[in-house]
Every structure is written in C-alpha cells, then in structure tokens.
Amino acid sequence: MVLKAFFPTCCASADSGLLVGRWVPEQTSAVVLAVVHFPFIPIQVKELLARVQQASQVGVAVLGTWCHRRQDAEESLGHFLEGLGAIFSHEPWLQLCRERGSKFWSCKATRRQAPTCPGAPGEDQVMLVFYDQRKVLLSQLHPPVALPDHQAGDAVAGAGGLAAVFDTVARSEELFRSDRFDEGPVRLSHWQSEGVEASILAELAKRASGPICLLLGGLLSLVSAASACRVFQLWPLSFIWSKLSTCEQLRHRLEQLTFVFSTQKAENPTQLMRKANVLVSVFLDVALGLALLSWLHGKDRIGHLAEALVPVADHVAEELQHLLQWLMGAPAGLKMNRALDQVLGRFFLYHLHLWISYIHLMSPFIERILWHVGLSACLGLTVSLSILSDIIALLTFHIYCFYVYGARLYCLKICGLSSLWRLFRGKKWNVLRQRVDSCSYDLDQLFIGTLLFTILLFLLPTTALYYLVFTLLRLLVVAVQGLIHVLVDLINSLPLYSLGLRLCRPYRLAAGVKFRVLEHEADRPLRLLMQLWLPPHPLLGLPVPQAFLWGAHLPLEAERGQAGLTDPGHRPARHRHTATVSPPPCRGR
Amino acid sequence: MEDEQSFSDICGGRLALQRRYYSPSCREFCISCPRLSLRSLTAVTCTVWLAAYGLFTLCENSIILSAAIFITLLGLLGYLHFVKIDQETLLIIDSLGIQMTSSYASGKESTTFIEMGKVKDVIINEGIYMQKVIYYLCILLKDPVEPHGISQVVPVFQSAKPRLDCLIEVYRSCQEVLAHQEATSASP
C-alpha cells in the first residue's frame, strides 16, 4: 500500500536531522511532527520522546531521517544518516531528501523485516502530504477528548481516517513547547520553534476564570433555588408566571448563565463555542440595555412616556367605540339583525367603559411603575422588550376579552346549528359509536328543532361578523407581540462569537480538508498540499435566518458534520407563551 | 501524463475532458463546460434594455433606465459568481479519498472531499432528468450502521452532465484506482 507521509510545511526548509512523529499503521501513514537537528545525543532524544509520550499519550517515535542538501557534495551526510537507522529502529524507516534548489523530493521507505507474504515489495511507495501545523492545531478538527472509561490507546485508534492525523498533532502539544531560544539538550524544528505563541491576556483570563466561575456559579444557584421555592408553585402565581414572557426570558437567561459559569470544563470545541456565543450575546444584551436605560432616564423621557400612555389608551378605546357603533349600524352595507346587534353592541360598549375607568384609576401610578420597570433594562435589552410585550398584552386585555366572548358565542352557535341541521335531516349523533345515526323524532321535536334552526341560521351573519372583527383585532395585537418576540429571539440566538471568528480567524471554523496536487515529475513521489476547508457561506457570510427563530446558537456548526463533531443533544426551541388565536374547543357535538 | 479529449453533454454542447495520471494511485479528471456565449449574453441584455425602454416610454421616468443597467450588471455578476460553472474536477487518490471541485466563472471554487473509508463504490447510474433519461456517475457512501448498506449517493459532474462515452472513460479509470487500492490493501 502507498505510504502517506504527512510533513509540516514549516519543516520544509529546516536543516537535516531526524524525523520525529507518529506512525498510524491502520492508514499506513506517518505523521511527522518535528525535526531533531544535529548535534544530538541519542539517549537524550529517547528521553525526550519518552517524556512526550507519557505526557500526551501519543506514541511518538523517531520515524526516519530528513536530509536537506544545501551544498552539492555532501555524500558523507548520506552515509551518516543511513547509519542512524541502526540506532533508532522503526518499522518502516522513512528517508526524505531534498536537493538544494529543486522542488522535487526523493522519498524512500524501507522495511527491515522480511515481508510476510510473497510478492510484497521490500520498499514502499511514498506519497507526501504537506500540512500547515499551526492551522491544523488551531482548527480543532480532532475528535473530542477520550472519555475516562476508555483506555488511552483505544480512543486514538478508534478515530478513523484523517481525524487520526489531527488528533496526533493536537495532542502533541508537549513536543511543541520548546522553541529555539530554549537551552535544552535537543534542538527541534516545528511550528513554534521561532517562538512559542502565547498571549498574556489569554493566560490571565484562564487563571481568573476559575474563581470567577465559582463565585458567579454560587450566586446563580442561590437565585435559582430562591425561584424554585414552594411559594411560587401555588396556583395563581404559577399561572401568572407561565403567561408572562418576561419570566420566560429571565428563566432562559438564568439557564444560559448557569451553563456558561458552570465549573465543568467544556468537553469539546462545540460546547466551548456555545459558551462563548452565549457570553458574547449576554454582554451585547446588557450593553444595549444600559444604553436604553441611559436614554430613558435622561431628559425626563419616562415622564413624557407616562403622560402619553393614558391618552393613547383613551384613543384606542374611543376607536373601539366607533367600531362598535359602526357594527351596530349597517356595517359595509350588510343588514344585521337589529335586536341581537343592539344587545351585543351594548354589552361590549359597557365592557369598554369599565376598561376606560380602570385605566383612569391606574393613571397616577403609571409614572412610578414605568420608572421601576425602566430600571430592569440593566438586566438586558431582551428583558425590556419582554416587559414591553407584556405591557402591550395587559393594555389590550379588553381586546382579548372581546375576542373570547365573540369566539365562544360563535362556537356555541355553530355547535347548535350543526346539531339542529342533523335533526332537520332526521339524524343524530351517536355518542357511544362516535358517528351519525338516523333517528326518528316526534313531530313536536321536529317542529321546535326546525324553528330553532331557522332562528340560529338567520342570526348567524351577525355573530359571524362580530367574531371576524374581533379575531382580526386580536391578530393585530398578536402580530405586534410576535414582532417583539422575534427581536428578542434574534438577540438571544445571534452567534456573534462565531461570526467574529469567521471574519478574523476563519481556520477555527474549518469543517474539513481539501487537497491540491503540487507539481509532479515522473518517477518522483507524488506531493499533495492539504488545506483546511471552510463550509461555503450562503449569501456572502450571512448565517441562515431560520436559525434565529428556533433558538439555535451555531448555524455554522451544522456543517461540521464532515468532521464528526455534531452535537445531538442540542437544546430545543423555547416554547413561546403568546396567547393562541384558535377558538376555544366546543364541548360536545 | 496528460490527455485531452472532446466529448458532448446531454444537450449537445461541447465538453473537454482532461485526464491527468499522476501515478497508479492518483488520477485527476477535469471537464470544462462551454463558456458563456456572447450571443446569449447579447440577447439577454437587449431584451432587458428593450423592456426597460418600453417602460420608460410609458412612465417618462429615467430612473427605470438606470435601474435596468444596474439590474443587468448585478445579474451578470451574480450569474458568473453563483451559477456559471466553468470546470468540474474529480481527483481520486488511492487510500486518501475522492475530491470534487467546481470552479465558477468568477474564480470561486467549491470543494467537497470524501474520505476513502466512506466510499463504497463508484458507479454509473441512470436517472430521470426533466423529460430525458440520462446516465450520471455517482459515488456510493458506506452506511456506518449497516455494513452492506448505502447511506448516500453523491452525483459527480452535475452541471457538466457528460454523455455515456465520457462517463465510461472516467468510470474505467476510477475502477482501476479502486481495484489497485483493494489489491494493495489486501497484502500488508
């Protein structure tokens, strides 16, 4: 089988030396991690490799020799390198050689043992695959850390294909710790040999995150314990809590924050991304909320709002009155049943009058209430928007009541009509058999039934019109509330961290690899370049809109299936508690 | 080793198949679709501008003409960047995998790589396309759960749509590589 040698691009210009890496027998591939330069003492090299193996559980070994001929006549180096094969035995022994000024390499892989079956060559064909160590390490395409109940060797062997390569590179961090400025006994060449990459801020954040998580986690658990106590489970309170979208939003935020500040480390990169996204979205939310707060509390805007609120409510009530007067007359040229029209119209008008008096009763307290509610903006813009949606629901409660009355009346009428229609045809509903059966009625039953049927039928247009008008009003209110909830969902689930990563560090979001064949000459080994592949962005980088409404945090993650990193335990969408528009169910047929 | 041959697609347009044999275990097939023809481009542009001019004579608003120019430009750019595929390449590397690349007229490239462990076979299948029955080359992927099952069928050369003679050439080469891989993996 063709032997694949994964060679880091940073070592292509390094001096001659030994190749250090891992051999994956299932794929017959050799993953080269670093080059050990001359001079070295074999004992020290073996010690270093043993140390790395213990620290990272990766079977690092000397794979072969690397020869970079800078001068034309360096035959002695070649013999010396061949002699090294006796000191560090590895099966198969890889020999890579690069001439000065030549793009093409020569590779040999020799097996010392006799082949087990006849016909297999003693020398294998080698295929070189170049890879960028830094990008592969930082792209986190390797499978997640092994679970504690697996043996260390099993997990690595189970990873198939190219994931094994990424896993090897990622776990060998110990090998990449030393750079060329270190005074160690062995001189290595790898992606960090020009200087170890680190950031003070990142290190400080890592140190500080432990105690901060503990503290905040403790606070959050106190809050959730307080909210879960028995007082809030009693019937009236629990009903109100379930209906208010503010409580829903607060609960959602509490869950998210508990998840972010849990003391458990993130198990895999997807969880880390999710935590980062939640954190960034919470920050944005609070920042926007504080901006709103400062805007509201400046220039006495709350006072203006409170002053404007009661006249607006009055205006809405007046418009409703006009609407009812219109319905009581001849709406759209239709002729209504006078008596029923007057009854319904007067009933609703009285209801409206009660509502207006209630609003006027509340008006002195509105400014105080609004001021306190405005303070809640420091918890986040989403909380303010939820409160706004709840205020709209409360202020339009009369519309909801009208809708319920209209719907109930209509439903009763339809039930009655259908039952009497059956009687008119001489049938009845069999409750036991759940079907329509024929029935013989007495004459007086038929007479009364037909009479009632006629009455109900001719009163149908009036009721239907009231039902239609109030349903449309209710739909309008629900639409406004729906818009506000869409905005809240948008802020909740916009994956800003992933978007930022996509702009600044796209290789972190890589979902696979692609290959490119480099210049090829006959009789030379084949050279390929392995590059990270980013999932194609729909519409120039904007994430798919559906992800917002269903509460998904990471739409880009859905495309990481190629690397086998999808998380099946994704959180389901939040249940929206807006009141439904469907008519209340009819009891009995 | 490079080889170029001329074939035709299902509508009769000319295709060029370029074959590169890098080694017995690595081959590349590149199908170039016919380029955007000047005739069709002129026809579409003239239609759009005539329609815009007609609207202009009705409405007497010159914004329609500028809008038509913008629409034509944006439409052309969008077509070149998102729709018009110039070349489709299939790279098959024994023991690594199969890679399909589509390059668009604007230079954008979209790649898909399938690891060899997931590939069950490469076959030519028949399918119904509009009112025709056509042959297409596709890659069968293994089902991780069931060893003899197929989890997915990935069609290749979807926008070039070559005819059977071209597909047979590609199919033969792919089967040679897969057979070579089977032979060498059987012996350690």
Side-chain angles (χ1 to χ4, degrees):
Chain A
M1 204 166 162
V2 177
L3 194 143
K4 299 184 285 268
F6 289 89
F7 198 79
T9 44
C10 50
C11 297
S13 51
D15 290 331
S16 314
L18 284 177
L19 293 169
V20 160
R22 181 179 162 225
W23 167 251
V24 184
E26 298 89 26
Q27 332 269 316
T28 47
S29 43
V31 184
V32 175
L33 293 169
V35 175
V36 176
H37 295 298
F38 307 115
F40 59 82
I41 305 175
I43 305 281
Q44 285 176 338
V45 172
K46 287 189 185 168
E47 269 174 20
L48 170 73
L49 291 178
R51 205 174 57 228
V52 170
Q53 197 159 351
Q54 206 181 23
S56 60
Q57 312 286 340
V58 172
V60 182
V62 175
L63 295 172
T65 55
W66 159 244
C67 173
H68 190 185
R69 293 217 181 121
R70 294 197 193 269
Q71 280 84 44
D72 285 323
E74 266 192 22
E75 301 295 335
S76 54
L77 191 62
H79 291 302
F80 173 62
L81 287 173
E82 279 181 25
L84 282 172
I87 309 176
F88 302 100
S89 61
H90 188 264
E91 185 79 6
W93 186 249
L94 202 60
Q95 287 165 300
L96 300 175
C97 182
R98 183 183 176 188
E99 311 280 334
R100 184 179 73 113
S102 160
K103 268 186 285 191
F104 303 107
W105 297 21
S106 73
C107 315
K108 253 193 323 182
T110 44
R111 287 182 190 268
R112 215 162 294 135
Q113 290 171 4
T116 45
C117 66
E123 250 187 45
D124 290 338
Q125 270 211 325
V126 180
M127 183 159 63
L128 275 170
V129 182
F130 294 108
Y131 70 99
D132 189 336
Q133 253 183 350
R134 176 169 183 268
K135 293 222 173 111
V136 165
L137 193 71
L138 296 175
S139 72
Q140 296 172 337
L141 273 172
H142 47 275
V145 174
L147 300 166
D149 51 319
H150 280 197
Q151 300 295 330
D154 282 354
V156 169
L162 293 163
V165 174
F166 299 127
D167 189 55
T168 306
V169 176
R171 270 133 137 289
S172 319
E173 291 229 31
E174 180 68 34
L175 193 63
F176 304 136
R177 282 262 162 92
S178 62
D179 56 19
R180 69 186 170 99
F181 303 108
D182 274 350
E183 300 289 330
V186 180
R187 200 161 61 98
L188 288 170
S189 232
H190 47 77
W191 69 283
Q192 277 191 336
S193 53
E194 295 297 318
V196 176
E197 268 192 22
S199 148
I200 294 181
L201 288 172
E203 293 297 316
L204 279 174
K206 269 192 220 163
R207 295 291 157 97
S209 64
I212 289 181
C213 278
L214 270 173
L215 182 69
L216 286 169
L219 275 171
L220 286 168
S221 59
L222 268 174
V223 172
S224 12
S227 67
C229 78
R230 293 293 295 272
V231 172
F232 297 121
Q233 308 293 352
L234 296 175
W235 182 78
L237 278 175
S238 67
F239 180 72
I240 295 174
W241 287 164
S242 64
K243 288 293 172 199
L244 286 177
S245 61
T246 316
C247 302
E248 180 65 39
Q249 174 64 17
L250 283 172
R251 199 177 310 148
H252 180 64
R253 274 283 179 243
L254 196 67
E255 267 176 38
Q256 280 186 332
L257 286 172
T258 323
F259 171 64
V260 168
F261 291 119
S262 70
T263 43
Q264 248 188 338
K265 254 178 101 63
E267 280 152 33
N268 50 19
T270 40
Q271 267 210 352
L272 193 68
M273 286 268 232
R274 192 166 284 139
K275 279 193 179 183
N277 275 325
V278 168
L279 200 63
V280 172
S281 117
V282 167
F283 276 144
L284 178 76
D285 200 12
V286 171
L288 285 174
L290 287 172
L292 180 70
L293 192 71
S294 65
W295 180 82
L296 268 181
H297 282 259
K299 290 200 200 158
D300 193 30
R301 289 219 176 80
I302 291 201
H304 291 322
L305 254 170
E307 275 167 28
L309 203 66
V310 174
V312 161
D314 271 345
H315 179 74
V316 167
E318 246 184 70
E319 290 298 318
L320 269 178
Q321 267 182 337
H322 287 154
L323 180 73
L324 283 169
Q325 304 281 5
W326 178 72
L327 279 176
M328 282 189 353
L334 294 168
K335 192 142 192 312
M336 306 267 94
N337 178 284
R338 193 120 199 101
L340 183 63
D341 217 0
Q342 296 285 326
V343 161
L344 285 176
R346 293 236 178 89
F347 171 66
F348 288 130
L349 275 172
Y350 179 64
H351 201 104
L352 204 56
H353 171 76
L354 276 177
W355 183 253
I356 294 180
S357 350
Y358 167 69
I359 294 276
H360 281 278
L361 209 69
M362 287 274 295
S363 56
F365 306 112
I366 285 191
E367 183 172 348
R368 195 71 58 78
I369 294 175
L370 271 182
W371 193 88
H372 286 288
V373 157
L375 279 182
S376 73
C378 66
L379 285 172
L381 185 67
T382 45
V383 178
S384 314
L385 284 174
S386 315
I387 291 184
L388 178 70
S389 152
D390 285 334
I391 288 177
I392 291 179
L394 282 174
L395 283 180
T396 54
F397 189 64
H398 50 320
I399 296 183
Y400 177 64
C401 286
F402 288 173
Y403 160 72
V404 169
Y405 300 150
R408 278 252 176 243
L409 264 176
Y410 183 71
C411 183
L412 278 172
K413 175 154 282 190
I414 293 290
C415 287
L417 265 178
S418 56
S419 165
L420 290 172
W421 171 243
R422 266 180 246 120
L423 178 137
F424 193 66
R425 283 155 53 215
K427 300 206 189 290
K428 84 165 186 188
W429 173 252
N430 191 337
V431 185
L432 275 174
R433 297 279 181 100
Q434 296 287 314
R435 65 173 187 199
V436 177
D437 274 343
S438 63
C439 171
S440 61
Y441 291 100
D442 296 337
L443 194 63
D444 48 350
Q445 281 175 327
L446 273 176
F447 179 65
I448 304 254
T450 315
L451 206 64
L452 282 172
F453 175 72
T454 326
I455 293 174
L456 281 179
L457 185 68
F458 290 129
L459 289 178
L460 185 65
T462 317
T463 328
L465 191 72
Y466 273 90
Y467 174 63
L468 187 71
V469 168
F470 292 134
T471 311
L472 287 174
L473 273 176
R474 175 91 192 121
L475 271 176
L476 192 68
V477 172
V478 167
V480 170
Q481 277 192 300
L483 265 166
I484 295 180
H485 286 148
V486 164
L487 204 59
V488 168
D489 266 339
L490 197 82
I491 300 179
N492 267 346
S493 36
L494 194 65
L496 287 166
Y497 182 69
S498 301
L499 282 174
L501 268 189
R502 196 172 185 115
L503 288 172
C504 307
R505 272 167 233 272
Y507 52 81
R508 286 284 297 271
L509 293 175
V513 289
K514 59 181 181 185
F515 291 89
R516 197 161 62 103
V517 182
L518 299 173
E519 245 184 78
H520 178 68
E521 224 182 48
D523 295 337
R524 293 282 194 171
L526 185 64
R527 297 179 309 144
L528 298 164
L529 176 66
M530 183 168 84
Q531 292 165 310
L532 292 175
W533 172 77
L534 280 136
H537 47 79
L539 278 179
L540 310 161
L542 293 169
V544 182
Q546 290 112 314
F548 298 156
L549 296 176
W550 301 118
H553 279 281
L554 301 156
L556 297 167
E557 281 196 343
E559 294 144 337
R560 292 183 75 139
Q562 196 166 355
L565 287 171
T566 47
D567 181 18
H570 185 67
R571 283 185 73 246
R574 285 206 294 140
H575 179 54
R576 289 260 127 236
H577 276 293
T578 49
T580 50
V581 193
S582 57
C586 291
R587 278 182 250 101
R589 286 284 212 104
Chain B
M1 183 177 99
E2 261 193 54
D3 191 336
E4 181 153 348
Q5 258 183 295
S6 164
F7 291 98
S8 65
D9 68 8
I10 54 172
C11 303
R14 272 205 24 185
L15 295 174
L17 171 70
Q18 250 188 338
R19 276 179 295 194
R20 289 187 205 113
Y21 286 176
Y22 294 114
S23 80
S25 58
C26 176
R27 302 206 186 161
E28 192 173 20
F29 307 99
C30 184
I31 294 193
S32 326
C33 308
R35 300 214 174 244
L36 181 66
S37 74
L38 200 57
R39 199 181 298 175
S40 60
L41 181 64
T42 324
V44 171
T45 315
C46 286
T47 325
V48 172
W49 284 0
L50 276 173
Y53 194 69
L55 270 176
F56 170 68
T57 45
L58 275 173
C59 305
E60 304 290 333
N61 193 354
S62 65
I63 289 184
I64 295 180
L65 295 175
S66 339
I69 295 177
F70 268 129
I71 290 174
T72 322
L73 273 173
L74 285 175
L76 181 67
L77 284 173
Y79 177 70
L80 290 178
H81 191 73
F82 293 113
V83 177
K84 178 89 186 77
I85 293 185
D86 249 354
Q87 255 189 6
E88 281 192 308
T89 315
L90 181 75
L91 173 68
I92 176 163
I93 307 170
D94 161 26
S95 80
L96 260 183
I98 305 183
Q99 174 171 291
M100 282 127 23
T101 315
S102 312
S103 22
Y104 291 82
S106 64
K108 175 172 103 161
E109 276 190 10
S110 107
T111 326
T112 318
F113 178 73
I114 304 173
E115 283 188 50
M116 206 41 114
K118 289 203 199 127
V119 170
K120 193 166 165 24
D121 205 357
V122 173
I123 61 166
I124 295 183
N125 203 7
E126 279 178 308
I128 299 180
Y129 177 72
M130 304 277 234
Q131 81 284 8
K132 301 196 238 276
V133 174
I134 60 166
Y135 294 99
Y136 61 96
L137 190 74
C138 56
I139 304 173
L140 300 176
L141 299 185
K142 284 188 195 155
D143 195 1
V145 173
E146 201 196 331
H148 293 291
I150 296 168
S151 73
Q152 221 185 336
V153 172
V154 180
V156 181
F157 300 135
Q158 271 187 297
S159 63
K161 295 195 200 72
R163 284 199 182 164
L164 189 61
D165 43 5
C166 177
L167 289 177
I168 286 180
E169 296 290 332
V170 179
Y171 172 77
R172 273 209 198 108
S173 294
C174 288
Q175 288 295 334
E176 273 170 27
V177 173
L178 289 175
H180 177 258
Q181 189 212 337
E182 288 290 324
T184 47
S185 68
S187 57

